[in-house]
Amino acid sequence: MTSRKLARRSLRKRLALVYAAGVYAAGVLVLVFVDLPLAGIQETRPAGLPEPSTVTETESGIGLPQLLTGSAVALVVLVPVALALGWYVAGRFLDPLRAITATAQVISAGNLHRRLDLGEPTDELTELGHTLDDLFARLEASFDAQRHFVANASHELRTPLAGLRTLLEVALADPDADAGTLRSACQEALALGGYQERLVEALLALATSERGVTRWDTLDLADVAGGVLASRRDQATRRGVDLTSHLTPAVTAGDPGLLESLVANLVDNAIRHNHAGGHVKVTTRTSGTQVALTVVNSGPVVPEDQIQRLFQPFQKLAPERHGRDGYGLGLAIVSAVTQAHHATLAARARPEGGLSITVRFTHGSPPSQGQ
């Protein structure tokens, strides 16, 4: 803290000296270019007039010694005036910087609501303050989202662990438990373990998606979608959902693994939240400078005001449903992958039920390595 104050005072001293030097240099220039030429000016007389017998001091020009003496005194007096003026101006100039430093020192992970609010006038320092305010706002939103995510993840992981513990305690406490009972308990324990494993994999997929794209390859979304659909047809058949597609070339750039995860989560979400006799249609197309992937599915009616919430982690249309029907992470992964690829995502509720989700990517080759 002391070193920061010393550094700030040192900066004010340097600025004050710079301002004082400028004011003093202006005084010297006045002496050189104004006062010295005046010293040689003498009183002029009309031509033809006889010279007076005596010449008084007031008839002559300003004497050089007197002018130099007065100027020297003025320059000496100007030194403290220039320093005081420079100190004041430097202090006013550094006021926004002091506010930035003081506010930044009190901001912490639990106190991110503080803002600089430098106000007017608008200059480079106040623009820096506005930029920092925007940064603090983004950090606050990020910390809030992280705390919300950790709380939800802890809850989701604690539920199957508690169920597994209860299952084992009941099986061990039963004195009449036979091999069949224990086998049944083990099977349920394995099912709960599988649920936890899939949840952890989903959490890892979300974390990987939010990390950003580190590999850019040119690929065709039609090929990616085709591979995903081939692996989901049996699942759709078991649920009685008709899975169709209309895949035309849609070449874009991105991480193949993340894009496959995006398509897989869209298709899984469309199949899972559907009904017997329902349908899912996947479409890829190219339009101008963009390529689009669209997944349309039937299912329950989704209120318009709930759509954006579904793209947040651990959010479900019907929270009371048992967790084994989904973790509320599929559409959150889709949103994270979309943002990582600088793509756009549009979702709308269908009046007859279900969703229509479209993700638009830039058409063409991967960006240069410098980006």
Side-chain angles (χ1 to χ4, degrees):
M1 183 68 68
T2 303
S3 62
R4 291 180 182 176
K5 289 184 177 179
L6 290 176
R8 185 179 67 194
R9 290 173 182 171
S10 176
L11 177 59
R12 186 174 184 180
K13 287 179 181 178
R14 292 198 299 268
L15 288 175
L17 289 175
V18 170
Y19 296 148
V23 174
Y24 200 78
V28 173
L29 290 176
V30 170
L31 172 65
V32 172
F33 293 103
V34 178
D35 287 359
L36 291 181
L38 289 176
I41 299 176
Q42 302 292 327
E43 183 182 357
T44 60
R45 297 178 175 278
L49 291 179
E51 290 291 331
S53 56
T54 60
V55 178
T56 64
E57 286 294 329
T58 57
E59 292 175 336
S60 61
I62 301 173
L64 181 60
Q66 294 88 345
L67 183 60
L68 291 178
T69 301
S71 299
V73 172
L75 289 178
V76 171
V77 174
L78 185 61
V79 171
V81 173
L83 288 174
L85 182 62
W87 185 264
Y88 172 76
V89 173
R92 291 295 298 246
F93 178 76
L94 292 176
D95 278 344
L97 190 59
R98 291 195 196 96
I100 292 173
T101 303
T103 305
Q105 287 172 349
V106 300
I107 287 178
S108 63
N111 189 29
L112 287 172
H113 64 278
R114 290 288 300 273
R115 297 293 181 269
L116 300 174
D117 295 327
L118 295 183
E120 300 295 336
T122 301
D123 54 24
E124 287 80 359
L125 285 178
T126 53
E127 287 181 359
L128 173 61
H130 298 329
T131 301
L132 290 175
D133 282 341
D134 293 339
L135 173 61
F136 294 148
R138 291 194 297 271
L139 284 175
E140 183 179 16
S142 177
F143 272 88
D144 288 342
Q146 183 184 45
R147 284 191 287 265
H148 184 68
F149 176 83
V150 170
N152 283 325
S154 300
H155 173 74
E156 292 289 333
L157 287 170
R158 185 172 61 245
T159 300
L161 285 174
L164 179 61
R165 181 185 181 90
T166 301
L167 176 67
L168 295 177
E169 287 177 346
V170 170
L172 291 174
D174 185 3
D176 299 325
D178 54 11
T181 302
L182 295 177
R183 182 180 296 275
S184 176
C186 289
Q187 290 175 345
E188 291 190 33
L190 286 175
L192 287 171
Y195 169 81
Q196 290 177 286
E197 182 179 358
R198 292 190 297 273
L199 176 57
V200 171
E201 289 176 353
L203 289 172
L204 290 175
L206 179 59
T208 302
S209 304
E210 291 178 338
R211 184 181 61 192
V213 179
T214 58
R215 173 186 175 186
W216 292 89
D217 292 341
T218 301
L219 48 82
D220 192 343
L221 283 178
D223 295 336
V224 177
V228 171
L229 290 173
S231 65
R232 265 59 176 184
R233 292 198 181 278
D234 290 342
Q235 177 186 352
T237 301
R238 289 194 300 270
R239 288 179 171 262
V241 176
D242 182 27
L243 195 58
T244 61
S245 64
H246 180 69
L247 306 178
T248 59
V251 178
T252 187
D255 186 307
L258 291 181
L259 291 179
E260 182 180 358
S261 176
L262 178 143
V263 178
N265 277 283
L266 282 175
V267 174
D268 288 342
N269 185 77
I271 295 175
R272 182 181 299 116
H273 302 290
N274 215 313
H275 52 72
H279 66 275
V280 174
K281 184 175 183 179
V282 180
T283 304
T284 60
R285 66 183 184 279
T286 300
S287 177
T289 60
Q290 291 186 328
V291 298
L293 167 73
T294 301
V295 177
V296 180
N297 66 278
S298 58
V301 176
V302 181
E304 287 285 349
D305 59 352
Q306 297 294 312
I307 293 178
Q308 293 304 317
R309 180 179 66 83
L310 296 178
F311 288 90
Q312 300 299 319
F314 300 107
Q315 297 297 315
K316 305 175 186 177
L317 184 60
E320 72 279 1
R321 287 167 48 179
H322 198 285
R324 296 189 191 185
D325 260 344
Y327 316 102
L329 292 174
L331 293 183
I333 294 173
V334 170
S335 178
V337 175
T338 300
Q339 294 178 16
H341 286 81
H342 310 293
T344 59
L345 188 151
R348 66 177 182 84
R350 303 174 69 237
E352 62 273 26
L355 289 172
S356 174
I357 300 176
T358 300
V359 185
R360 292 182 175 85
F361 299 86
T362 300
H363 173 66
S365 303
S368 62
Q369 296 296 326
Q371 291 182 338

